[in-house]
Structure formats: C-alpha cells, structure tokens
Amino acid sequence: MAKPVLLSVDDDADVLRSIERDLRSQYGAAYRVMGSDSPEGALDLLRQLKVRNDSVALLLADQRMPHMNGVEFLQEATQIFPEAKRALLTAYADTNAAISAINEANINYFFLKPWDPPADHLYPQLDDLLDDWQASYRPTFEGIRLLGTRWSPRSYELRDFLARNHVPYQWIDVELSANDPETKQLMDALGPEAASLPVVLFPDGTKLLESIPAEVAQRIGLRTRAQTDFYDLAIVGGGPAGLAAAVYGASEGLHTVIIEREAPGGQAGMSSRIENYLGFPNGLSGGDLARRAMVQAQRFGVEILSPQEAVGVRLEGPYRIIKMADGSEISCHALMIAAGVQWRRLEAPGIDRLQGAGVYYGGGTSEALSCKGEVVYVVGGANSAGQAAINFSKYAERVVILVRGESLASSMSQYLIDQVKETPNIQLWTHATVAEVHGDTHLEEVSVLCSDDGKTERVPANAMFIFIGALPRTKWLEDVVERDEHGFILTGPDLIRDGQRTKGWTLDRDPFLLETNVPGLFAVGDVRHGSVKRVASGVGEGSVAVQFIHQYLSKV
Ligand SMILES: Cc1cc2nc3c(=O)[nH]c(=O)nc-3n(C[C@H](O)[C@H](O)[C@H](O)COP(=O)(O)OP(=O)(O)OC[C@H]3O[C@@H](n4cnc5c(N)ncnc54)[C@H](O)[C@@H]3O)c2cc1C
C-alpha cells in the first residue's frame, strides 16, 4: 500500500533540504516525504497525487515565497486535499501574520524557523497533527479506476470487459457522484482531460483517455500476441469447451494456445449462477468457473491470447494457419474451433441506438448493482433469462420477464421456474414481444405488443436485458469447413451421407467424432452442429476431442 505523503514547500533550497531530512528521519517509515521549491510546482504535484489516488497527510509551506505566499498556497492546496493537515513555516518577524492565518485561513499550526532541536520544536506538534489525521484516514482504493457515465455504451463496454476479465476496478459514475467532494476534486485535478470519458486511471498515475478495451488490455498486461509462431494445438474460443480442451491438451504435453475474442469463460462466464454443473451442489457463478479454469489451464502452460480474434484459416499441407484481427498469424498442427454462439439480435426500433445505454444483450453482470431500486425487463424464456431475472431481483425493485409463449414450461428448467415463482418481485408477462424501445440518451420506456389482444402497451423501464437465443458466428470459416444452414459446424458422422465420406476427404479413415471435413481441424461445444448447449457437454466435448487429436498427431 502506498504511504501517505508529507509535502513541504520552500523556495530556499537549504531550508527545504533540512525540513525534508528532519521529516524523513522521524516519519520516513510510515510516510512518504516529498518536497517542492515552488508553490506552483507543489500544486502540480498535488494534482498528480490526486489522480493517482494517493493520500496526503501534511502540507508544510514557507510563508515568504515569491508569486504566492504560504497561506495562499495552503488555501489552494486545500481544494485538492481538504483532509490534509496544514502548517506554515515562518520567520519570527512573521509571527503575527501566521497567527491571523490560523484564524482566517484555517491553518492548523505554524512553526518558527529554525526549529532546532526538532525533537522539541517540530515533532511533538507534528505528532499531534498526524495522530488527528490518522483518526479519520481511510486507505484509498489502489487498483484501476474507471471514470465514465452509466448510460455511455463505451463506459459499459469497458466495465463489462474489466469484469469479465476479472480485473478489480473501481467504477466512478461522474454524473451520479457529481456532488461527491472526492469526485469533484478528482475531476478538477484532471482538468480538461476529465471531458475525455471514459477515463481509466492506473495506480502508477498514468491514464488512458476515451479509452477502449484493447488499449486497457495492453496496459494491464493481458497477452494478445503469441510467444511463438507454432503450436501443437491452437484453440479458437476460450469458453468451457475451449478451456477444457486446453487443460487436457496441455496436461498431456501438447504445446497449446487459446485465442479468445472477448474474455475467457465464454457464455458461461456471463452466467450469474450455474446450478447443474457436476460437483458444485450449491452452484457456482460463471465468473468463478471461468477464473478457476483459466488458472488451471495456465498452470499447465497454456498461452491465452485475449482479447484477440481469429478472422481466417489457411491450410498449407499439414499446417493450419490462423490469421488474427491484428494481422498476425500463428500456425499449428491441430486446430480446434470452440467459438460457441453469440446472442441473436432483437429487431425492434430503438434497440441498436440504445444498446449499451439501458439495452443489453446477455447477463450484464456488471450492471446488476446499478439496477438498485429500478424496473428491469428481461426478454426471453430460456434458462439464461431465468438466471438473470433471479440475479437482478436481488437489486431491482421489480423484474419483468417478457415471453412470447404462454408460459416458461417449454423453455426453462423446472428448478428455475420454481425460483422465479417464489421470488415476489419477479413478474412474468406472457404473450408479449418488444415492439419498440424509447429514450433520448438512455432507455426510458418499452412498448410491449400483447398477442392476446393485439394491443401495444408503453411502460416505463430503466434497463432491458435480451436473451433470445444465440447463433454461431462462423462466416470467417465458410471456405474451409462445412456448416449447416445456420452456420453450425458439421463434424464426424454428420459428414457421412448415404455411406459416402464428404467431398474432398482424402484419408482412408472416416472423420473422427469431433473432426470437421478438414483433417486435424476439430469443432467442439455450442458451435458444433447438433451439440447439447450446456457447460458440461462443452467441457466433455473439449476433453474428448483431445484423444482424437493425439490420434491425428500420431500420423501427421
Ligand atoms: C447467461 C447464460 C447462462 C447459462 N447457464 C447455464 C447453466 O446454468 N448450465 C449450463 O449447463 N449451461 C448454461 N449456459 C450455456 C453454456 O454457458 C454454454 O452452453 C457453454 O458456455 C458453451 O460453451 P462453448 O465453449 O462451446 O462456447 P462459449 O461459451 O460460447 O464460448 C465461446 C468463446 O469463443 C469466443 N470466440 C468466438 N468467436 C471467436 C473468434 N473468431 N476468435 C476468438 N474467439 C472467439 C467467444 O468470445 C467465447 O468466449 C448458459 C449460457 C448463458 C449465456
């Protein structure tokens, strides 16, 4: 933890050196002693300390300085660090000025120069001041701070990115906390840069303005570039299927890399509580599962490139070459596509405009806390919608689930239906579809079409979370692998039609169970045609596929 600062200001270099020396010898173990030879320089330094979220315990200023005297300096410095104790260093001739400063300018104490011996004339009074300061001191947050506004899609994108990558951060909504003195001081210290939201402040005092996830990823050391250019096994997608394949592959000696576009964990990472995964009788959050799996994979030496997107595949003899969004390439012997599925878009006027500003696809786990006391709409009737509704009900005043059908029975697991029924602030609205969403800068109302009577009802809403099924995004693979009409990838038995192997297949064996029409290119999990869309089945497929990869590699 960074030590609180004791700052002294004196334009006389000798005096500054000697006060710093005396402060350091007595307080250096518990405080950071800093000095400045001009009040202007000291104010700049204080602004930097504010942006870094450092604490300042004491400001000690010489009264006689050119341009700005000690009292003026302390008054300005108080705007930046109001809690810091303030003291003047004065010559005997200035005693009267110092006494009136104590009364008029809220100065805590004054010291006469010279203060020798400090044990008599400096430390006892400073001890009192610092004891006082310590009594109300609360250590400041030391990690990343993100400044933005709740309804800004760019702020949401960053919050979601940090949360899903398990990066601890403090969120400061500069509109909501506009009257909070700490936020005001921080915004003042940032000056004109405070307008370039979202702003990310790092503990070392550096910052990113109008920041985007890729920049933050680079700054916090998330790896987006591969360490070598060849791997035994490359896996596209870091959801449960991809992570399981990586753990099994790497633990069995394969040099393995995962390429993940958003954050390891995939869809499962967005789940607030997975209750049907074997071995966790109380359920576990998707975030927790993702974090554990990631640590496990890394322990076996798996390289995880995230955020990084695979955008193309080329075949060169036994090598499969993957092209990334940043133009880099890696090659491998065995390639596994574990790219899962992405949310289907809801077609209704206003949705695209308000996405990230009250309208969200998926769980929005980072949003749950912001929904305190609000009315939240959840669109969809599957398990993911049920889980989200239960999670939001802990914070929101009311959660309304909108479903097209007449009940949840055909789409949601019974245990979730029971939980929904037992939660008093969850309401189910059947035969209902979203006709339009309204709001200038953020969602304010939803128009709901009721198929019972064909009427449209316009209702107030603070947030809407959409869970209406998902589809694979595999267009980038269309020239390489065979897919069904929805884009799901065909594997194993799907590639044998009327007893004939798929066109272009040249090996004298059938494709392995999870192998595509390209030897050595496998597909597992939700992206695979005919897969069971569950965490356990994705994990199972990822693990099983590794056995086929060994067989494939033994003959490459
Ligand atoms: C909110 C929610 C709750 C759920 N709850 C449960 C539950 O309780 N129990 C249960 O069994 N199942 C649940 N599921 C379903 C389960 O999460 C999925 O079946 C499972 O995550 C599928 O795993 P996967 O690895 O195949 O794909 P995904 O989890 O979809 O992961 C695929 C990953 O690939 C990445 N990717 C895609 N394309 C690329 C590319 N070109 N380059 C790089 N990376 C790419 C994606 O960013 C993603 O991270 C839930 C799903 C959701 C959304």
Side-chain angles (χ1 to χ4, degrees):
M1 201 172 72
K3 297 177 196 170
V5 170
L6 309 182
L7 175 68
S8 45
V9 192
D10 202 312
D11 61 319
D12 181 328
D14 291 334
V15 178
L16 183 63
R17 242 193 324 274
S18 95
I19 187 78
E20 282 190 81
R21 187 197 54 224
D22 286 346
L23 289 176
R24 204 163 278 128
S25 75
Q26 181 73 0
Y27 302 108
Y31 295 90
R32 199 157 26 126
V33 175
M34 303 180 91
S36 171
D37 60 7
S38 78
E40 295 84 359
L43 288 171
D44 276 350
L45 179 63
L46 288 174
R47 284 187 202 100
Q48 286 171 31
L49 292 171
K50 189 79 203 177
V51 170
R52 279 167 48 157
N53 218 15
D54 281 327
S55 304
V56 175
L58 175 74
L59 300 160
L60 185 55
D62 182 34
Q63 170 60 4
R64 278 204 193 181
M65 293 187 287
H67 313 305
M68 188 186 283
N69 67 35
V71 171
E72 287 163 349
F73 164 74
L74 290 173
Q75 283 176 322
E76 281 214 29
T78 307
Q79 306 295 318
I80 308 172
F81 283 100
E83 292 83 22
K85 294 295 171 192
R86 300 168 289 278
L88 276 178
L89 277 179
T90 56
Y92 180 72
D94 293 329
T95 307
N96 287 341
I99 291 170
S100 51
I102 288 190
N103 296 331
E104 288 156 24
N106 220 356
I107 308 291
N108 298 104
Y109 204 79
F110 73 93
F111 296 93
L112 286 177
K113 293 195 268 188
W115 52 86
D116 276 333
D120 291 343
H121 301 305
L122 187 68
Y123 299 148
Q125 297 81 356
L126 280 185
D127 284 348
D128 277 353
L129 289 181
L130 293 175
D131 280 352
D132 251 19
W133 182 83
Q134 283 286 355
S136 56
Y137 166 58
R138 299 283 167 274
T140 51
F141 179 78
E142 295 216 11
I144 291 174
R145 285 169 299 150
L146 168 60
L147 277 70
T149 54
R150 179 177 174 194
W151 302 121
S152 143
R154 291 187 63 176
S155 299
Y156 171 70
E157 190 187 17
L158 274 179
R159 285 204 319 267
D160 194 49
F161 167 78
L162 290 169
R164 288 181 57 196
N165 278 286
H166 315 286
V167 181
Y169 72 99
Q170 187 183 43
W171 162 240
I172 300 170
D173 185 327
V174 298
E175 277 174 3
L176 214 68
S177 56
N179 294 325
D180 168 51
E182 264 295 315
T183 307
K184 265 193 188 153
Q185 291 149 22
L186 178 57
M187 297 299 273
D188 288 348
L190 278 169
E193 292 179 336
S196 305
L197 297 171
V199 175
V200 181
L201 303 174
F202 298 93
D204 65 357
T206 55
K207 50 189 167 292
L208 285 173
L209 307 176
E210 293 181 4
S211 174
I212 55 168
E215 288 172 346
V216 179
Q218 210 174 13
R219 279 298 319 276
I220 58 179
L222 292 182
R223 185 177 290 159
T224 57
R225 286 264 173 160
Q227 280 185 322
T228 60
D229 51 16
F230 180 79
Y231 294 83
D232 299 322
L233 169 61
I235 301 167
V236 177
L243 283 165
V247 166
Y248 277 83
S251 68
E252 291 166 14
L254 299 179
H255 185 204
T256 303
V257 64
I258 290 182
I259 301 145
E260 168 52 52
R261 186 178 48 209
E262 291 165 12
Q267 296 167 72
M270 297 179 217
S271 166
S272 47
R273 186 139 291 264
I274 298 168
E275 301 207 38
N276 55 0
Y277 192 56
L278 189 71
F280 294 88
N282 297 322
L284 86 168
S285 75
D288 208 13
L289 179 70
R291 192 180 43 75
R292 286 164 189 245
M294 233 173 90
V295 172
Q296 201 173 6
Q298 283 167 328
R299 235 191 71 216
F300 285 120
V302 175
E303 239 179 85
I304 301 181
L305 311 183
S306 173
Q308 180 61 274
E309 182 175 7
V311 293
V313 173
R314 209 169 66 242
L315 311 176
E316 284 182 13
Y319 303 110
R320 280 82 190 90
I321 292 138
I322 307 150
K323 188 169 180 203
M324 316 285 191
D326 66 358
S328 60
E329 291 189 339
I330 54 173
S331 90
C332 59
H333 268 150
L335 171 59
M336 180 179 288
I337 307 298
V341 289
Q342 280 78 46
W343 295 111
R344 266 184 45 213
R345 319 299 289 176
L346 179 64
E347 302 292 339
I351 294 277
D352 289 348
R353 189 172 54 82
L354 295 178
Q355 189 183 334
V359 173
Y360 309 94
Y361 286 93
T365 38
S366 60
E367 280 310 292
L369 267 176
S370 319
C371 296
K372 229 180 184 139
E374 296 185 340
V375 180
V376 170
Y377 279 74
V378 169
V379 186
N383 282 358
S384 48
Q387 279 179 13
I390 288 160
N391 188 36
F392 291 132
S393 72
K394 294 176 202 149
Y395 309 94
E397 181 196 305
R398 194 158 52 91
V399 179
V400 184
I401 304 179
L402 295 181
V403 280
R404 273 201 298 218
E406 61 180 12
S407 75
L408 296 172
S410 61
S411 52
M412 199 179 282
S413 298
Q414 192 56 46
Y415 78 93
L416 278 170
I417 296 179
D418 294 342
Q419 286 182 27
V420 165
K421 274 191 193 146
E422 286 159 15
T423 310
N425 62 339
I426 300 184
Q427 230 177 297
L428 181 63
W429 189 345
T430 55
H431 299 133
T433 46
V434 175
E436 190 172 353
V437 290
H438 315 269
D440 286 336
T441 55
H442 60 92
L443 179 73
E444 289 170 48
E445 289 176 310
V446 180
S447 287
V448 181
L449 173 67
C450 312
S451 60
D452 281 344
D453 52 12
K455 286 193 181 139
T456 300
E457 211 175 305
R458 193 163 161 159
V459 289
N462 301 99
M464 187 172 95
F465 296 89
I466 304 167
F467 300 83
I468 53 165
L471 286 173
R473 246 197 263 167
T474 51
K475 198 160 169 35
W476 60 284
L477 288 163
E478 69 183 343
D479 298 332
V480 183
V481 295
E482 287 189 33
R483 305 174 305 148
D484 70 13
E485 68 275 24
H486 300 295
F488 290 100
I489 299 174
L490 304 181
T491 52
D494 305 330
L495 297 161
I496 312 285
R497 294 177 197 97
D498 303 325
Q500 297 293 307
R501 291 172 186 155
T502 186
K503 219 171 89 205
W505 182 265
T506 53
L507 302 184
D508 59 4
R509 62 165 174 84
D510 287 348
F512 293 126
L513 186 63
L514 299 163
E515 198 174 24
T516 66
N517 56 303
V518 177
L521 204 164
F522 296 78
V524 293
D526 283 13
V527 76
R528 200 177 63 77
H529 170 82
S531 63
V532 178
K533 310 281 183 284
R534 288 283 182 272
V535 174
S537 49
V539 168
E541 289 189 11
S543 325
V544 166
V546 171
Q547 296 314 309
F548 298 120
I549 286 170
H550 283 304
Q551 289 182 43
Y552 169 77
L553 290 178
S554 69
K555 298 231 171 95
V556 175

